[in-house]
Amino acid sequence: AGRTENSQIGVFLAYATDRGRTLIDRRLYLPTSWTDGRERCRRAGIDDSVAFATKVAMAKEMIRQAIRDKIPFGWVTADAAYGF
């Protein structure tokens, strides 16, 4: 659009097997324009403990959580959007 637009971006972790697939985790990506404005976050119901994180960092943390939860997997792949 050539300008900043309002949008919501999610980071999702999916699990796939030969029997099917499902989403097992998700995070809402918040740019620094949001996380730097705590009052704006509060009005939107976003807790003060939510800090800025890149989409890559969010994906890595979801994979770490899957490991802690002992979800069996042999490999990981990713698709990246602009803005990293």
Side-chain angles (χ1 to χ4, degrees), residues 44-83:
I46 300 166
D47 190 83
D48 284 347
S49 65
V50 177
F52 172 77
T54 66
K55 290 171 260 178
V56 170
M58 294 172 133
K60 287 179 179 178
E61 179 52 34
M62 287 189 289
I63 293 166
R64 287 185 196 104
Q65 184 61 50
I67 292 168
R68 286 190 296 269
D69 291 341
K70 300 186 183 343
I71 295 173
F73 63 92
W75 51 273
V76 174
T77 186
D79 182 14
Y82 65 90

Side-chain angles (χ1 to χ4, degrees), residues 1 6 12 16 19-20 22 24 27-28 35 39 51 56 59 69 71 84:
N6 288 330
F12 302 91
R19 297 179 61 201
T22 190
I24 61 172
R27 308 281 165 92
L28 175 64
T35 57
E39 186 55 39
V56 170
D69 291 341
I71 295 173
F84 280 91

Side-chain angles (χ1 to χ4, degrees), residues 11-16 20-26 71:
V11 179
F12 302 91
L13 183 64
Y15 188 76
R21 57 200 167 278
T22 190
L23 294 175
I24 61 172
D25 203 350
R26 82 281 182 260
I71 295 173

